[in-house]
Amino acid sequence: MVKVVVCGAAGGIGQPLSLLLKQSDIITHLALYDVVNAPGVAADLSHINTRSTVTGHGKEGMDEALSGAHTVIIPAGVPRKPGMTRDDLFKINAGIIRDLAEGVARNCPGAFVLVISNPVNSTVPIVCEVLKKHGAFNPKKVFGISTLDVVRSARFASEINTAIDPKSTRVTVIGGHSGVTIVPLLSQIPGQSFNEDQLKALTQRIQYGGDEVVKAKDGAGSATLSMAHAGARFATAVLEATVTGKSGLVESTYVNLAADAEGTAAFHAKTGLDYFAQDVEFGREGVKRILPLPAISIYEQALLDEAIPELKINIAKGTSFITDSAKI
C-alpha cells in the first residue's frame, strides 16, 4: 500500500494538488486532512476513476489520516495576502507546521515529508527539529518543495527566448524559496543568450513571481494552481524513485545538508549553512545524493553571496521556534 497524505487538503493549494495526485497510478490511498471541509473534497475526488482510494479526515482526524503514511505533503497554513511578507506568514504558519510534524512523528515516523507551507526556508527546519525531538529525523526524507521556482524559471525564460522549450527545460535553482534567497542558474540553460538587462529582469521576476500573482488576485489568494502543479511534479518524482525504483530523477529542492554530509562537507564548511536548495538525485531512501554546484557566473555568485546571510536568518528563525520553546 502506498498511502499519501495531504495536510491542508481543502485549501487553495490542497484541492488542486489532491486532484493532480488522484491521477497517479502509484498512490493506492490518498488521505486528505484539513480542519474544515476535507470530507467533502474527498467525496468529490473519490468519484474519479483512478486507482487510489480517497478518504477525508476532519479536525479531530489527524492521527487517523497520518497513520502508516508513505509520504506526507504539507500545504497547510494561511496564504499570503497583499502586503504580507513571508515573515508575517511565519508567525501564523509556524505553529500549524509544528503540530503537523508532531503528528508525523507519532503516526508515520518513517514517512517522506514534503513541505510546501511558507516560509519554506523556516518551516523545513521546524519539521526537522520536531522530528529530532522524537528521534524520528532522517535528513534524506524531509524536503522543502521549491519546484515552483524551477517551473517559473523555465516558463519566464521561454517568454524572452522562444527557442527555449519550457516543458523540457529544467532550470537549476539554488539557495532557498523566498525573495533574494532564490538563485536561478540561468547560465546553465543550453543555448541561452540573455543580455545583462534581461538577466536582471528575469531573475527579479523569478524571485518575486509570487508577488505578481498575489497582486493580480487582488486579495483573493496567492499562487495556488501553479504551486499545486509544482508540488504534484515533485511528489511524483519522489514516489517514482522511492516506490518504483526509477533512477536518474533530479529536482532542485530545499534540504538539510546532512542528507549527503560527505558530498556537501566543503560547502557546509564554507557557508555555515545547514539547509540549502540544490539539485538532488532521488533514490529508494529519498535523497540519494546532493549534486555539487555547477560552475556559476559572476552574476549568479553575487546573487548567492546575497542569499546566504538571509538564509541563515530564516533557518535560525525556524530552528529556534522549536529549540527555544523546548527550553521553557
Side-chain angles (χ1 to χ4, degrees):
M1 184 185 78
V2 180
K3 181 179 183 180
V4 173
V5 185
V6 180
C7 295
I13 296 170
Q15 288 201 42
L17 173 61
S18 298
L19 173 61
L20 292 170
L21 294 173
K22 185 67 175 78
Q23 317 308 310
S24 173
D25 290 328
I26 300 174
I27 299 169
T28 58
H29 180 183
L30 184 60
L32 308 184
Y33 168 73
D34 211 322
V35 293
V36 293
N37 300 331
V41 176
D44 195 353
L45 291 181
S46 71
H47 292 188
I48 295 173
N49 60 325
T50 53
R51 183 184 182 196
S52 55
T53 298
V54 184
T55 56
H57 308 266
K59 187 174 183 179
E60 304 304 320
M62 179 171 67
D63 289 341
E64 181 184 30
L66 290 170
S67 179
H70 174 279
T71 297
V72 179
I73 310 172
I74 306 178
V78 300
R80 200 149 58 102
K81 297 176 181 177
M84 183 184 282
T85 67
R86 280 180 165 80
D87 282 340
D88 295 330
L89 273 184
F90 177 84
K91 296 171 185 175
I92 302 169
N93 287 347
I96 297 171
I97 303 309
R98 175 199 60 210
D99 294 346
L100 290 170
E102 294 275 359
V104 169
R106 284 196 308 272
N107 298 285
C108 52
F112 298 91
V113 184
L114 284 50
V115 182
I116 292 174
S117 307
N118 277 316
V120 164
N121 293 356
S122 301
T123 54
V124 170
I126 287 174
V127 171
C128 292
E129 290 301 322
V130 169
L131 295 177
K132 285 178 187 178
K133 189 175 70 172
H134 290 274
F137 176 56
N138 181 343
K140 294 180 180 294
K141 290 189 169 187
V142 182
F143 303 91
I145 299 183
S146 55
T147 315
L148 184 50
D149 303 326
V150 177
V151 168
R152 284 175 173 149
S153 295
R155 177 62 222 173
F156 297 167
S158 75
E159 292 176 11
I160 294 176
N161 182 349
T162 56
I164 295 171
D165 177 10
K167 189 171 183 179
S168 63
T169 300
R170 192 186 65 80
V171 182
T172 296
V173 181
I174 65 172
H177 182 55
S178 67
V180 298
T181 70
I182 299 170
V183 181
L185 301 186
L186 301 170
S187 66
Q188 303 297 309
I189 300 175
Q192 67 80 25
S193 55
F194 303 120
N195 61 40
E196 184 178 349
D197 289 341
Q198 288 174 327
L199 270 178
K200 288 181 178 178
L202 190 50
T203 299
Q204 172 79 9
R205 190 180 180 202
I206 294 164
Q207 289 180 329
Y208 297 97
D211 294 350
E212 187 177 310
V213 178
V214 169
K215 183 179 178 181
K217 289 190 174 182
D218 195 23
S222 57
T224 53
L225 301 177
S226 53
M227 184 63 246
H229 162 77
R233 165 176 155 170
F234 186 86
T236 299
V238 170
L239 290 167
E240 286 180 338
T242 60
V243 177
T244 73
K246 186 174 181 179
S247 61
L249 294 171
V250 175
E251 289 283 358
S252 299
T253 176
Y254 183 74
V255 293
N256 186 297
L257 297 183
D260 183 4
E262 183 177 350
T264 60
F267 179 81
H268 180 267
K270 181 180 178 181
T271 63
L273 291 172
D274 293 322
Y275 296 84
F276 193 71
Q278 170 55 345
D279 278 351
V280 168
E281 181 181 356
F282 302 122
R284 287 275 192 185
E285 68 281 12
V287 175
K288 182 176 181 180
R289 65 187 181 114
I290 299 174
L291 276 61
L293 283 178
I296 64 178
S297 69
I298 294 173
Y299 176 64
E300 290 161 352
Q301 183 61 57
L303 292 173
L304 180 56
D305 291 343
E306 186 178 2
I308 289 172
E310 182 69 17
L311 272 171
K312 288 181 177 178
I313 293 169
N314 297 161
I315 293 165
K317 179 176 287 190
T319 300
S320 63
F321 182 76
I322 301 301
T323 56
D324 287 358
S325 62
K327 297 172 185 175
I328 298 173

PDB file of all heavy atoms in Angstrom, residues 233-253:
ATOM      1  N   ARG A 233       4.315  17.613  -9.312  1.00  0.00           N
ATOM      2  CA  ARG A 233       5.503  17.199 -10.078  1.00  0.00           C
ATOM      3  C   ARG A 233       6.583  16.665  -9.147  1.00  0.00           C
ATOM      4  O   ARG A 233       7.177  15.612  -9.396  1.00  0.00           O
ATOM      5  CB  ARG A 233       6.023  18.392 -10.891  1.00  0.00           C
ATOM      6  CG  ARG A 233       7.431  18.218 -11.451  1.00  0.00           C
ATOM      7  CD  ARG A 233       7.811  19.393 -12.316  1.00  0.00           C
ATOM      8  NE  ARG A 233       9.269  19.565 -12.391  1.00  0.00           N
ATOM      9  CZ  ARG A 233       9.880  20.396 -13.235  1.00  0.00           C
ATOM     10  NH1 ARG A 233       9.167  21.109 -14.086  1.00  0.00           N
ATOM     11  NH2 ARG A 233      11.191  20.522 -13.235  1.00  0.00           N
ATOM     12  N   PHE A 234       6.829  17.385  -8.066  1.00  0.00           N
ATOM     13  CA  PHE A 234       7.868  16.959  -7.127  1.00  0.00           C
ATOM     14  C   PHE A 234       7.472  15.668  -6.423  1.00  0.00           C
ATOM     15  O   PHE A 234       8.274  14.740  -6.300  1.00  0.00           O
ATOM     16  CB  PHE A 234       8.132  18.062  -6.096  1.00  0.00           C
ATOM     17  CG  PHE A 234       9.281  17.760  -5.189  1.00  0.00           C
ATOM     18  CD1 PHE A 234      10.574  18.074  -5.567  1.00  0.00           C
ATOM     19  CD2 PHE A 234       9.094  17.146  -3.952  1.00  0.00           C
ATOM     20  CE1 PHE A 234      11.659  17.784  -4.739  1.00  0.00           C
ATOM     21  CE2 PHE A 234      10.152  16.844  -3.128  1.00  0.00           C
ATOM     22  CZ  PHE A 234      11.449  17.169  -3.522  1.00  0.00           C
ATOM     23  N   ALA A 235       6.243  15.594  -5.960  1.00  0.00           N
ATOM     24  CA  ALA A 235       5.775  14.402  -5.259  1.00  0.00           C
ATOM     25  C   ALA A 235       5.848  13.180  -6.163  1.00  0.00           C
ATOM     26  O   ALA A 235       6.219  12.076  -5.717  1.00  0.00           O
ATOM     27  CB  ALA A 235       4.344  14.613  -4.767  1.00  0.00           C
ATOM     28  N   THR A 236       5.507  13.351  -7.427  1.00  0.00           N
ATOM     29  CA  THR A 236       5.566  12.239  -8.372  1.00  0.00           C
ATOM     30  C   THR A 236       6.988  11.731  -8.533  1.00  0.00           C
ATOM     31  O   THR A 236       7.225  10.508  -8.568  1.00  0.00           O
ATOM     32  CB  THR A 236       4.996  12.673  -9.740  1.00  0.00           C
ATOM     33  OG1 THR A 236       3.623  13.048  -9.575  1.00  0.00           O
ATOM     34  CG2 THR A 236       5.106  11.557 -10.765  1.00  0.00           C
ATOM     35  N   ALA A 237       7.961  12.651  -8.595  1.00  0.00           N
ATOM     36  CA  ALA A 237       9.361  12.241  -8.706  1.00  0.00           C
ATOM     37  C   ALA A 237       9.797  11.442  -7.477  1.00  0.00           C
ATOM     38  O   ALA A 237      10.474  10.410  -7.592  1.00  0.00           O
ATOM     39  CB  ALA A 237      10.249  13.463  -8.899  1.00  0.00           C
ATOM     40  N   VAL A 238       9.407  11.916  -6.292  1.00  0.00           N
ATOM     41  CA  VAL A 238       9.751  11.205  -5.052  1.00  0.00           C
ATOM     42  C   VAL A 238       9.126   9.811  -5.043  1.00  0.00           C
ATOM     43  O   VAL A 238       9.778   8.820  -4.703  1.00  0.00           O
ATOM     44  CB  VAL A 238       9.307  12.012  -3.815  1.00  0.00           C
ATOM     45  CG1 VAL A 238       9.435  11.180  -2.541  1.00  0.00           C
ATOM     46  CG2 VAL A 238      10.122  13.293  -3.695  1.00  0.00           C
ATOM     47  N   LEU A 239       7.860   9.722  -5.430  1.00  0.00           N
ATOM     48  CA  LEU A 239       7.168   8.433  -5.447  1.00  0.00           C
ATOM     49  C   LEU A 239       7.772   7.485  -6.482  1.00  0.00           C
ATOM     50  O   LEU A 239       7.937   6.287  -6.225  1.00  0.00           O
ATOM     51  CB  LEU A 239       5.688   8.635  -5.713  1.00  0.00           C
ATOM     52  CG  LEU A 239       4.886   9.282  -4.581  1.00  0.00           C
ATOM     53  CD1 LEU A 239       3.509   9.718  -5.073  1.00  0.00           C
ATOM     54  CD2 LEU A 239       4.744   8.341  -3.399  1.00  0.00           C
ATOM     55  N   GLU A 240       8.093   8.003  -7.646  1.00  0.00           N
ATOM     56  CA  GLU A 240       8.688   7.150  -8.679  1.00  0.00           C
ATOM     57  C   GLU A 240      10.019   6.574  -8.213  1.00  0.00           C
ATOM     58  O   GLU A 240      10.327   5.400  -8.465  1.00  0.00           O
ATOM     59  CB  GLU A 240       8.881   7.936  -9.970  1.00  0.00           C
ATOM     60  CG  GLU A 240       7.588   8.206 -10.725  1.00  0.00           C
ATOM     61  CD  GLU A 240       7.783   8.983 -12.002  1.00  0.00           C
ATOM     62  OE1 GLU A 240       8.826   9.674 -12.132  1.00  0.00           O
ATOM     63  OE2 GLU A 240       6.904   8.911 -12.876  1.00  0.00           O
ATOM     64  N   ALA A 241      10.799   7.379  -7.511  1.00  0.00           N
ATOM     65  CA  ALA A 241      12.104   6.904  -7.036  1.00  0.00           C
ATOM     66  C   ALA A 241      11.967   5.953  -5.856  1.00  0.00           C
ATOM     67  O   ALA A 241      12.604   4.891  -5.820  1.00  0.00           O
ATOM     68  CB  ALA A 241      12.977   8.093  -6.649  1.00  0.00           C
ATOM     69  N   THR A 242      11.125   6.317  -4.891  1.00  0.00           N
ATOM     70  CA  THR A 242      11.066   5.549  -3.639  1.00  0.00           C
ATOM     71  C   THR A 242      10.184   4.309  -3.728  1.00  0.00           C
ATOM     72  O   THR A 242      10.413   3.336  -3.011  1.00  0.00           O
ATOM     73  CB  THR A 242      10.571   6.431  -2.480  1.00  0.00           C
ATOM     74  OG1 THR A 242       9.256   6.936  -2.781  1.00  0.00           O
ATOM     75  CG2 THR A 242      11.519   7.605  -2.251  1.00  0.00           C
ATOM     76  N   VAL A 243       9.196   4.326  -4.605  1.00  0.00           N
ATOM     77  CA  VAL A 243       8.276   3.189  -4.721  1.00  0.00           C
ATOM     78  C   VAL A 243       8.649   2.287  -5.889  1.00  0.00           C
ATOM     79  O   VAL A 243       8.778   1.070  -5.736  1.00  0.00           O
ATOM     80  CB  VAL A 243       6.817   3.665  -4.871  1.00  0.00           C
ATOM     81  CG1 VAL A 243       5.880   2.471  -5.052  1.00  0.00           C
ATOM     82  CG2 VAL A 243       6.391   4.483  -3.657  1.00  0.00           C
ATOM     83  N   THR A 244       8.830   2.873  -7.062  1.00  0.00           N
ATOM     84  CA  THR A 244       9.088   2.056  -8.256  1.00  0.00           C
ATOM     85  C   THR A 244      10.567   1.822  -8.503  1.00  0.00           C
ATOM     86  O   THR A 244      10.927   0.976  -9.320  1.00  0.00           O
ATOM     87  CB  THR A 244       8.471   2.696  -9.514  1.00  0.00           C
ATOM     88  OG1 THR A 244       9.241   3.846  -9.907  1.00  0.00           O
ATOM     89  CG2 THR A 244       7.031   3.120  -9.262  1.00  0.00           C
ATOM     90  N   GLY A 245      11.423   2.610  -7.835  1.00  0.00           N
ATOM     91  CA  GLY A 245      12.863   2.438  -8.017  1.00  0.00           C
ATOM     92  C   GLY A 245      13.417   3.100  -9.266  1.00  0.00           C
ATOM     93  O   GLY A 245      14.554   2.828  -9.668  1.00  0.00           O
ATOM     94  N   LYS A 246      12.641   3.978  -9.884  1.00  0.00           N
ATOM     95  CA  LYS A 246      13.117   4.678 -11.081  1.00  0.00           C
ATOM     96  C   LYS A 246      14.361   5.491 -10.735  1.00  0.00           C
ATOM     97  O   LYS A 246      14.405   6.180  -9.713  1.00  0.00           O
ATOM     98  CB  LYS A 246      12.022   5.591 -11.632  1.00  0.00           C
ATOM     99  CG  LYS A 246      12.372   6.247 -12.961  1.00  0.00           C
ATOM    100  CD  LYS A 246      11.190   7.022 -13.527  1.00  0.00           C
ATOM    101  CE  LYS A 246      11.536   7.667 -14.862  1.00  0.00           C
ATOM    102  NZ  LYS A 246      10.359   8.399 -15.430  1.00  0.00           N
ATOM    103  N   SER A 247      15.374   5.418 -11.569  1.00  0.00           N
ATOM    104  CA  SER A 247      16.649   6.080 -11.282  1.00  0.00           C
ATOM    105  C   SER A 247      16.838   7.316 -12.159  1.00  0.00           C
ATOM    106  O   SER A 247      16.126   7.506 -13.148  1.00  0.00           O
ATOM    107  CB  SER A 247      17.812   5.108 -11.496  1.00  0.00           C
ATOM    108  OG  SER A 247      17.837   4.668 -12.849  1.00  0.00           O
ATOM    109  N   GLY A 248      17.799   8.139 -11.770  1.00  0.00           N
ATOM    110  CA  GLY A 248      18.157   9.309 -12.560  1.00  0.00           C
ATOM    111  C   GLY A 248      17.249  10.498 -12.411  1.00  0.00           C
ATOM    112  O   GLY A 248      17.346  11.458 -13.173  1.00  0.00           O
ATOM    113  N   LEU A 249      16.343  10.463 -11.416  1.00  0.00           N
ATOM    114  CA  LEU A 249      15.410  11.571 -11.210  1.00  0.00           C
ATOM    115  C   LEU A 249      16.076  12.668 -10.385  1.00  0.00           C
ATOM    116  O   LEU A 249      16.572  12.415  -9.287  1.00  0.00           O
ATOM    117  CB  LEU A 249      14.150  11.077 -10.508  1.00  0.00           C
ATOM    118  CG  LEU A 249      13.286  10.105 -11.327  1.00  0.00           C
ATOM    119  CD1 LEU A 249      12.196   9.503 -10.456  1.00  0.00           C
ATOM    120  CD2 LEU A 249      12.670  10.812 -12.525  1.00  0.00           C
ATOM    121  N   VAL A 250      16.061  13.876 -10.910  1.00  0.00           N
ATOM    122  CA  VAL A 250      16.723  15.010 -10.258  1.00  0.00           C
ATOM    123  C   VAL A 250      15.764  16.194 -10.212  1.00  0.00           C
ATOM    124  O   VAL A 250      15.115  16.520 -11.206  1.00  0.00           O
ATOM    125  CB  VAL A 250      18.012  15.417 -11.003  1.00  0.00           C
ATOM    126  CG1 VAL A 250      18.625  16.684 -10.386  1.00  0.00           C
ATOM    127  CG2 VAL A 250      19.031  14.282 -10.995  1.00  0.00           C
ATOM    128  N   GLU A 251      15.667  16.818  -9.056  1.00  0.00           N
ATOM    129  CA  GLU A 251      14.913  18.068  -8.904  1.00  0.00           C
ATOM    130  C   GLU A 251      15.673  18.973  -7.942  1.00  0.00           C
ATOM    131  O   GLU A 251      16.355  18.493  -7.028  1.00  0.00           O
ATOM    132  CB  GLU A 251      13.507  17.822  -8.348  1.00  0.00           C
ATOM    133  CG  GLU A 251      12.533  17.146  -9.299  1.00  0.00           C
ATOM    134  CD  GLU A 251      11.965  18.088 -10.353  1.00  0.00           C
ATOM    135  OE1 GLU A 251      12.304  19.288 -10.331  1.00  0.00           O
ATOM    136  OE2 GLU A 251      11.182  17.607 -11.196  1.00  0.00           O
ATOM    137  N   SER A 252      15.532  20.278  -8.129  1.00  0.00           N
ATOM    138  CA  SER A 252      16.034  21.221  -7.131  1.00  0.00           C
ATOM    139  C   SER A 252      15.090  21.183  -5.936  1.00  0.00           C
ATOM    140  O   SER A 252      13.869  21.223  -6.110  1.00  0.00           O
ATOM    141  CB  SER A 252      16.087  22.643  -7.704  1.00  0.00           C
ATOM    142  OG  SER A 252      16.955  22.725  -8.816  1.00  0.00           O
ATOM    143  N   THR A 253      15.643  21.106  -4.738  1.00  0.00           N
ATOM    144  CA  THR A 253      14.811  21.056  -3.540  1.00  0.00           C
ATOM    145  C   THR A 253      15.605  21.534  -2.331  1.00  0.00           C
ATOM    146  O   THR A 253      16.832  21.412  -2.286  1.00  0.00           O
ATOM    147  CB  THR A 253      14.258  19.627  -3.301  1.00  0.00           C
ATOM    148  OG1 THR A 253      13.522  19.595  -2.076  1.00  0.00           O
ATOM    149  CG2 THR A 253      15.370  18.595  -3.236  1.00  0.00           C
TER     150      THR A 253
END
